[in-house]
Amino acid sequence: MSAEAADREAATSSRPCTPPQTCWFEFLLEESLLEKHLRKACPDPAPVQLIVQFLEQASKPSVNEQNQVQPPPDNKRNRTLKLLALKVAAHLKWDLDILEKSLSVPVLNMLLNELLCISKVPPGTKHVDMDLAALPPTTAMAILLYNRWAIRTIVQSSFPVKQAKPGPPQLNVMNQMQQEKELTENILKVLKEQAADSILVLEAALKLNKDLYVHTMRTLDLLAMEPGMVNGETESSTAGLKIKTEEMQCQVCYDLGAVYFQQGSTNSAVYENAREKFFRTKELIAEIGSLSLHCTIDEKRLAGYCQACDVLVASSGNNSQQLTPYSQVHICLRSGSYQEVVQIFIEDNLTFTLPVQFRQSVLRELFQKAQQGNEALDEICFKVCICNTVRDILEGRTVSVQFNQLFLRPNKEKIEFLLEVCSRSINVEKASDSLKGNMAAFLKNVCLGLEDLQYVFMISSHELFITLLKDEERKLLIDQMRKRSPRVNLCIKPVTSFYDIPASASVNIGQLEHQLILSVDPWRIRQILIELHGMTSERQFWTVSSKWEVPSVYSGVILGIKDNLTRDLVYILMAKGLHCSTVKDFPHAKQLFAACLELVTEFSPKLRQVMLNEMLLLDIHTHEAGLGQSGERPPSDLISRVRGYLEMRLPDIPLRQVVAEECVAFMLNWRENEYLTLQVPAFLLQSNPYVKLGHLLAATCKELPGPKESRRTAKDLWEVVVQICSVSNQHKRGSDGRVSLIKQRESTLGIMYRSELLSFIKKLREPLVLTIILSLFVKLHNVREDIVNDITAEHISIWPSSIPNLQSVDFEAVAITVKELVRYTLSINPNNHAWLIIQADIYFATNQHSAALHYYLQAGAVCSDFFNKAVPPDVYTDQVIKRMIKCCSLLNCHTQVAILCQFLREIDYKTAFKSLQEQNSHDAMDSYYDYIWDVTILEYLTYLHHKRGETDKRQIAIKAIGQTELNASNPEEVLQLAAQRRKKKFLQAMAKLYF
């Protein structure tokens, strides 16, 4: 019997064999017994597990007479164990699918390295530098197996892995798992560094035009003999198991395609290579057939890869007509051509090419983008939802909940688009009766669900509706509508347009009021009001909706207009415009305000100025929400209009406080400090509190770079804010005759209330202004007598150090304000390290130590590229480090305390040694020793573990001391580099723990 036939028999036999239960791998050391065991396919242990056992025994370290751990000896027993592991893999035909499924990365790496070694691959030689065509077939195949596994492992490591549920905690098991995880990560790091070479090796293999051979149990036996006994048989073209060229190329193409596809996420041009390899794999599978013994490709996964490549690979102009609908949709989504996606979906409603699940996934993706703030996608979401709904009803499915939600508030445009999609989604002449019936039932149900008869008429008069519904069905529908609205006279003959219906008593006033509520078209609003006033003169139509709100300073003037129609129109236009501005519908707000301005200009100069003020506020909001987001300065005419408003001295003009507030905030945000400091009229400083506050903030910003003596305005700003935060004490006599002290929370002593000041600050975005305000409140918070832990802030030294009347300040309100300000500033810029330090100090002061560490670490991370650079010393000051040390100490993370003591300018050995003496540490203890660079601390650790009899931990500490880069004789630059490297790794490890 040939070796190949023997191997085939070994793979198909299934008779059980039970080796002795004690040291069963010793029982199999006799090679003939192993072969017999494998031929009978003993199920316990499984053949793959034999590899693990053999290699574990072969790699077990030895202990010498001095009780020192030594590497595994290279003796006959260990060589035999390694050979047995290779023979088990040979029995499995070197099937990487089976081996990868059952063996860990370190074990499989060891196995394949043994294969390279026994296959006479020269150690230290790069595989990419070797000519595969000139190598013996088994040697070339060993190299291919290793490099195929390398790139397959890289690809597999990029997939998310579901974490297994941990069982009861066992220290030795956890340590073993951690060691295996670290070993796997190290191997992956090496494989990724060599990935380019592995790809080149496999690309070179595709150029081979000869069959290859893989080792069998017989050839491995021959290799294990003395070289003189082999007689060159293993290097001949007939030794081992034959792998045809097509089978080898098929496997290599598939693996290369997978790694190219994985690299495509960072370099989209590589997708073309992946597509080429996958399609070549399909061709080779067709040539080989599905009966191949040595080429196992997951064809479903291959089909998925091919389909994904079709979508991801950008086709040339000549092939644009041949793009699949998948590719077209993906290209449109990537380029933002969402209207084209809608057109593709409408066309697909005729062909049913795209699966429903795919169309729903596109809609979900668009919904997510819309919810993230892209309001322009709301209309696209509605249109795609309509297209999907029509597809659903054509295939006999129910209408989705999303459609019902989006159609709660129908309008003319929505109805028109729905009818367009329905018309284009069905070919009435060629469609089956079931399709026509589904469409007719859908349109009928839409009509029954509409309350506004205008939209019912639009659908019932449409050509598609008339074609699909028979006369009897239309009559029945009209009867149902008549029962629902008995006051409305519906005629059977379709009405072409709602606007053709004359305004007469037959039109329900309620319907017109409903349209008045929904409309944002100023001319349509005017038309509806004219019709309503023509029908009745007793109603005040500005009261139709409780949502129409006009500020009280304006409503008195507007409701004083004598003409009822004009009064209703002005009130409704302004209310709707203010609402549109609130919901950031600025185009409609501008239309409504412009129409209102045109109307009031004819009869009321006072209301004209009111509308000009509101349009100024609208233009500020429009710029801030649009071009201002990208940092583009506002146009000069807008800045001039803001100045004009601030300097306006027209008597009897009703003014909203928010307009002045927004104007001053606008000037500060765009750094118009020169105007606020020097050019603002003096009367404004006395009459407008927001202008005064803006003047003081701008002047403080301007004086900030100067000497401390020149910062006169900083003192003025301090006094203004202290007065705002002060409380007025009142005495009240109770029913029992006692006099009690009452504190007024919102003081009337300042230029504004504290809540108004906070509201104004939350309109600011300029970092320097926010930093000054924040430092002022932090200083005010620190002035408190009973404060234990100060909060640090930039520019805190410019403020006075004391307050004459300390009891008058409401420090509780100050503390709340500081927290709110920090929360707001971090929402503006979450990467400002100074603001992050303030947030950390607040948590530290309130004993929230874990949260404090989170923000201290985040502050360091944002200014050091996640600790890849050194954290600036003005960020991690000694005070910050000491607070981090205290946090770790109170969290019982004592090893972290010892490491952080090294970060101080002068190492705090006393605290470090005291913390290391603690035995109830909640951190990883000895796994942190690699982050210690101070030899004194490491020596103390060695002594401490020796004193406690902790041999393993003592060895770890000794290993850490023995690193050459910590040698005291090294140049200072080397020692600093070693310290910096350990700082980086420790802080990154802490960040992963607390982020």
Side-chain angles (χ1 to χ4, degrees):
M1 181 185 294
S2 67
E4 186 171 351
D7 291 332
R8 190 177 298 112
E9 181 186 344
T12 56
S13 176
S14 60
R15 286 175 294 174
C17 168
T18 307
Q21 294 300 314
T22 58
C23 298
W24 56 266
F25 64 88
E26 297 284 357
F27 165 76
L28 295 174
L29 281 178
E30 183 66 38
E31 297 175 24
S32 60
L33 291 178
L34 171 70
E35 192 164 351
K36 185 184 297 183
H37 178 65
L38 291 176
R39 288 179 188 279
K40 295 183 178 181
C42 177
D44 185 22
V48 182
Q49 293 307 313
L50 292 176
I51 298 175
V52 180
Q53 299 288 348
F54 289 145
L55 292 180
E56 280 183 357
Q57 292 299 320
S59 59
K60 186 176 291 185
S62 60
V63 180
N64 61 13
E65 295 177 356
Q66 287 78 27
N67 202 27
Q68 293 177 337
V69 178
Q70 299 291 327
D74 184 18
N75 54 30
K76 182 179 179 180
R77 177 181 179 276
N78 285 347
R79 286 195 297 272
T80 303
L81 284 166
K82 292 176 183 178
L83 180 63
L84 291 175
L86 291 171
K87 293 174 85 171
V88 176
H91 166 74
L92 296 170
K93 305 289 193 302
W94 299 99
D95 190 329
L96 286 180
D97 289 332
I98 297 175
L99 295 175
E100 288 171 340
K101 186 177 180 181
S102 305
L103 300 180
S104 64
V105 171
V107 173
L108 194 46
N109 179 58
M110 194 187 309
L111 178 71
L112 292 176
N113 274 298
E114 288 299 328
L115 175 65
L116 293 174
C117 181
I118 206 167
S119 298
K120 304 297 189 293
V121 176
T125 306
K126 287 188 175 182
H127 296 171
V128 72
D129 296 333
M130 302 176 74
D131 183 6
L132 295 178
L135 293 174
T138 50
T139 306
M141 193 64 195
I143 291 173
L144 289 186
L145 272 172
Y146 178 84
N147 287 283
R148 278 185 58 216
W149 168 76
I151 65 170
R152 285 162 66 106
T153 305
I154 293 169
V155 172
Q156 192 64 32
S157 69
S158 67
F159 297 154
V161 179
K162 184 178 180 181
Q163 297 293 333
K165 291 185 179 179
Q170 299 179 16
L171 189 59
N172 58 340
V173 175
M174 292 173 67
N175 289 339
Q176 185 178 355
M177 290 173 62
Q178 182 63 27
Q179 289 174 3
E180 184 173 329
K181 182 180 178 183
E182 291 176 0
L183 187 56
T184 302
E185 289 175 355
N186 292 335
I187 292 171
L188 277 172
K189 183 180 178 182
V190 174
L191 294 180
K192 288 175 181 177
E193 290 173 356
Q194 298 174 352
D197 288 349
S198 294
I199 291 172
L200 289 174
V201 169
L202 296 179
E203 288 284 7
L206 295 178
K207 299 175 184 177
L208 294 176
N209 55 3
K210 64 176 183 178
D211 296 338
L212 296 180
Y213 291 82
V214 68
H215 282 300
T216 62
M217 297 175 74
R218 178 170 174 270
T219 58
L220 289 170
D221 282 334
L222 292 172
L223 284 173
M225 296 178 186
E226 295 297 329
M229 299 174 64
V230 178
N231 295 327
E233 185 176 359
T234 54
E235 297 188 6
S236 71
S237 59
T238 59
L241 190 62
K242 182 178 179 182
I243 306 294
K244 293 182 180 179
T245 307
E246 294 80 4
E247 291 178 325
M248 177 272 292
Q249 290 182 350
C250 185
Q251 291 176 319
V252 170
C253 278
Y254 180 76
D255 293 337
L256 281 172
V259 75
Y260 285 144
F261 191 87
Q262 185 246 348
Q263 292 175 348
S265 59
T266 55
N267 182 7
S268 57
V270 183
Y271 282 127
E272 179 63 45
N273 295 341
R275 183 176 184 274
E276 178 188 339
K277 292 295 182 286
F278 285 133
F279 278 86
R280 177 58 182 156
T281 305
K282 288 179 72 174
E283 293 173 2
L284 288 168
I285 289 176
E287 291 179 19
I288 298 167
S290 59
L291 300 177
S292 173
L293 295 175
H294 311 298
C295 180
T296 54
I297 304 292
D298 186 346
E299 295 192 33
K300 288 185 178 180
R301 193 176 187 86
L302 175 61
Y305 272 131
C306 290
Q307 191 175 70
C309 289
D310 273 342
V311 171
L312 294 169
V313 175
S315 300
S316 61
N318 297 332
N319 297 329
S320 59
Q321 299 299 325
Q322 301 174 3
L323 286 175
T324 64
Y326 288 103
S327 305
Q328 293 174 2
V329 170
H330 182 79
I331 291 169
C332 292
L333 290 175
R334 208 163 40 178
S335 62
S337 305
Y338 300 116
Q339 291 291 350
E340 293 184 22
V341 175
V342 175
Q343 297 304 317
I344 293 169
F345 277 21
I346 293 175
E347 293 170 5
D348 184 66
N349 283 350
L350 282 170
T351 59
F352 294 178
T353 303
L354 294 172
V356 175
Q357 294 80 3
F358 173 74
R359 294 169 62 120
Q360 290 172 348
S361 69
V362 171
L363 179 59
R364 282 195 298 271
E365 182 180 341
L366 293 172
F367 266 126
Q368 288 172 359
K369 290 182 179 178
Q371 289 169 359
Q372 290 168 1
N374 192 344
E375 296 179 359
L377 285 180
D378 289 341
E379 181 185 356
I380 298 297
C381 289
F382 169 76
K383 290 184 175 182
V384 172
C385 183
I386 291 291
C387 294
N388 286 352
T389 301
V390 173
R391 168 72 177 272
D392 286 339
I393 63 103
L394 286 174
E395 293 187 321
R397 287 185 292 274
T398 56
V399 174
S400 66
V401 176
Q402 290 172 330
F403 173 81
N404 290 325
Q405 289 175 339
L406 293 174
F407 229 68
L408 282 174
R409 295 181 179 178
N411 55 35
K412 183 180 177 183
E413 290 75 19
K414 288 183 177 180
I415 298 293
E416 286 177 346
F417 182 76
L418 173 65
L419 292 171
E420 178 191 350
V421 174
C422 290
S423 301
R424 293 176 57 186
S425 299
I426 186 169
N427 188 336
V428 179
E429 295 178 359
K430 299 180 181 179
S432 64
D433 291 339
S434 62
L435 287 179
K436 293 178 184 177
N438 290 341
M439 182 67 78
F442 171 66
L443 292 175
K444 189 164 64 173
N445 288 330
V446 171
C447 286
L448 291 171
L450 292 171
E451 295 181 2
D452 195 330
L453 295 179
Q454 168 192 355
Y455 305 137
V456 176
F457 293 145
M458 288 177 64
I459 296 175
S460 63
S461 62
H462 195 272
E463 181 182 356
L464 179 65
F465 186 88
I466 297 170
T467 305
L468 292 177
L469 267 76
K470 299 176 183 178
D471 293 340
E472 295 79 10
E473 292 176 314
R474 292 205 302 275
K475 287 179 182 178
L476 180 61
L477 176 63
I478 290 168
D479 288 340
Q480 291 175 324
M481 298 297 291
R482 184 180 288 114
K483 290 175 183 177
R484 197 180 65 180
S485 299
R487 290 179 294 172
V488 181
N489 182 21
L490 289 172
C491 57
I492 298 176
K493 181 181 177 182
V495 181
T496 55
S497 171
F498 170 76
Y499 300 103
D500 294 336
I501 302 175
S504 63
S506 63
V507 178
N508 195 328
I509 291 177
Q511 293 176 20
L512 287 173
E513 290 179 345
H514 183 64
Q515 293 176 41
L516 185 64
I517 291 172
L518 295 178
S519 180
V520 289
D521 181 357
W523 306 113
R524 179 64 186 146
I525 292 170
R526 179 176 178 274
Q527 180 185 355
I528 293 171
L529 282 173
I530 291 172
E531 291 185 32
L532 287 169
H533 277 275
M535 297 169 68
T536 175
S537 59
E538 299 175 357
R539 294 281 304 276
Q540 294 180 336
F541 292 104
W542 62 271
T543 62
V544 164
S545 174
S546 60
K547 299 291 179 68
W548 291 341
E549 296 178 356
V550 169
S552 56
V553 292
Y554 297 161
S555 59
V557 180
I558 295 173
L559 297 179
I561 299 173
K562 294 181 180 180
D563 182 68
N564 292 340
L565 175 60
T566 307
R567 179 195 60 213
D568 288 344
L569 185 55
V570 172
Y571 190 98
I572 293 171
L573 288 175
M574 177 172 280
K576 284 180 174 285
L578 290 171
H579 173 74
C580 288
S581 179
T582 303
V583 298
K584 300 188 185 309
D585 184 3
F586 300 126
H588 279 130
K590 193 157 191 173
Q591 289 178 12
L592 292 159
F593 281 164
C596 192
L597 175 63
E598 184 180 351
L599 178 63
V600 299
T601 300
E602 300 174 359
F603 64 89
S604 175
K606 186 183 294 187
L607 284 176
R608 177 181 179 275
Q609 189 58 51
V610 165
M611 292 313 304
L612 288 174
N613 295 344
E614 289 299 326
M615 292 188 76
L616 170 62
L617 181 59
L618 177 64
D619 288 342
I620 290 174
H621 287 162
T622 304
H623 179 79
E624 297 292 88
L627 298 175
Q629 294 286 341
S630 59
E632 184 172 333
R633 282 190 62 80
S636 56
D637 67 314
L638 180 57
I639 296 175
S640 299
R641 287 167 60 200
V642 171
R643 291 183 179 183
Y645 173 82
L646 293 175
E647 297 171 10
M648 182 176 62
R649 301 185 67 176
L650 295 175
D652 301 328
I653 299 295
L655 299 174
R656 276 211 298 161
Q657 175 179 294
V658 69
V659 183
E661 189 179 347
E662 290 281 1
C663 285
V664 175
F666 177 82
M667 298 295 275
L668 286 170
N669 285 335
W670 294 106
R671 297 177 289 282
E672 291 292 325
N673 296 338
E674 193 73 23
Y675 171 79
L676 289 171
T677 306
L678 302 175
Q679 300 175 22
V680 67
F683 76 90
L684 276 178
L685 299 177
Q686 304 301 323
S687 61
N688 193 321
Y690 293 102
V691 174
K692 182 174 182 179
L693 187 61
H695 165 75
L696 292 173
L697 283 168
T700 304
C701 290
K702 190 175 178 183
E703 293 178 0
L704 194 59
K708 188 174 181 180
E709 303 79 40
S710 67
R711 299 172 190 157
R712 190 180 305 275
T713 51
K715 184 179 179 182
D716 295 340
L717 178 60
W718 169 266
E719 291 174 353
V720 165
V721 174
V722 168
Q723 205 168 23
I724 292 172
C725 294
S726 297
V727 291
S728 56
N729 296 332
Q730 298 179 359
H731 294 83
K732 181 180 179 181
R733 186 177 299 278
S735 57
D736 57 354
R738 296 181 181 180
V739 177
S740 59
L741 184 65
I742 301 174
K743 280 193 174 183
Q744 185 82 22
R745 276 287 174 214
E746 288 284 353
S747 171
T748 55
L749 301 175
I751 61 174
M752 63 180 70
Y753 292 118
R754 185 182 62 87
S755 58
E756 292 174 337
L757 173 61
L758 191 58
S759 172
F760 172 72
I761 294 171
K762 288 185 177 181
K763 291 179 170 61
L764 300 174
R765 292 192 330 275
E766 171 59 25
L768 181 57
V769 177
L770 288 172
T771 300
I772 286 174
I773 294 173
L774 195 52
S775 69
L776 189 155
F777 274 97
V778 166
K779 183 66 175 181
L780 188 56
H781 173 274
N782 292 344
V783 168
R784 189 173 179 175
E785 291 178 342
D786 59 345
I787 199 74
V788 177
N789 296 305
D790 282 354
I791 301 174
T792 55
E794 284 185 312
H795 311 305
I796 201 168
S797 61
I798 69 174
W799 310 113
S801 301
S802 60
I803 300 174
N805 188 7
L806 202 62
Q807 292 77 17
S808 65
V809 178
D810 186 356
F811 285 106
E812 184 181 343
V814 170
I816 294 171
T817 305
V818 170
K819 292 177 183 178
E820 289 221 22
L821 288 180
V822 174
R823 190 180 303 116
Y824 170 70
T825 52
L826 288 177
S827 71
I828 296 294
N829 181 8
N831 294 326
N832 187 305
H833 64 81
W835 298 345
L836 289 166
I837 291 287
I838 295 174
Q839 180 67 83
D841 284 347
I842 291 172
Y843 280 125
F844 180 81
T846 53
N847 297 322
Q848 300 179 66
H849 303 108
S850 180
L853 272 174
H854 170 91
Y855 282 97
Y856 284 133
L857 289 166
Q858 192 172 341
V862 299
C863 60
S864 64
D865 190 19
F866 197 69
F867 305 114
N868 285 306
K869 300 173 185 175
V871 180
D874 60 332
V875 177
Y876 275 2
T877 61
D878 271 5
Q879 180 179 341
V880 170
I881 297 297
K882 287 177 181 178
R883 290 188 172 186
M884 292 173 72
I885 289 171
K886 187 171 182 181
C887 288
C888 291
S889 178
L890 292 171
L891 291 170
N892 285 335
C893 297
H894 301 295
T895 315
Q896 295 173 6
V897 170
I899 296 171
L900 284 170
C901 286
Q902 302 173 110
F903 284 62
L904 297 168
R905 286 183 175 84
E906 293 184 6
I907 299 176
D908 187 354
Y909 289 111
K910 181 179 179 182
T911 303
F913 293 166
K914 185 179 179 182
S915 66
L916 291 172
Q917 290 171 7
E918 298 286 344
Q919 294 192 13
N920 62 337
S921 185
H922 293 172
D923 57 23
M925 299 182 68
D926 50 325
S927 68
Y928 281 124
Y929 291 176
D930 284 340
Y931 304 135
I932 301 175
W933 63 87
D934 185 79
V935 177
T936 305
I937 295 177
L938 286 170
E939 288 174 344
Y940 180 76
L941 272 171
T942 307
Y943 159 74
L944 199 63
H945 290 314
H946 176 72
K947 183 179 177 182
R948 294 175 182 169
E950 297 170 342
T951 307
D952 293 343
K953 293 182 180 181
R954 179 173 174 270
Q955 287 297 326
I956 295 172
I958 291 173
K959 183 181 176 183
I961 295 176
Q963 296 176 82
T964 54
E965 56 187 1
L966 297 183
N967 193 321
S969 303
N970 287 337
E972 185 63 26
E973 296 81 7
V974 175
L975 294 173
Q976 288 181 0
L977 185 62
Q980 188 57 42
R981 187 181 296 116
R982 284 161 177 75
K983 281 184 181 180
K984 165 191 165 182
K985 291 183 178 179
F986 173 68
L987 290 171
Q988 287 176 342
M990 289 277 283
K992 290 177 182 177
L993 188 62
Y994 287 99
F995 281 4

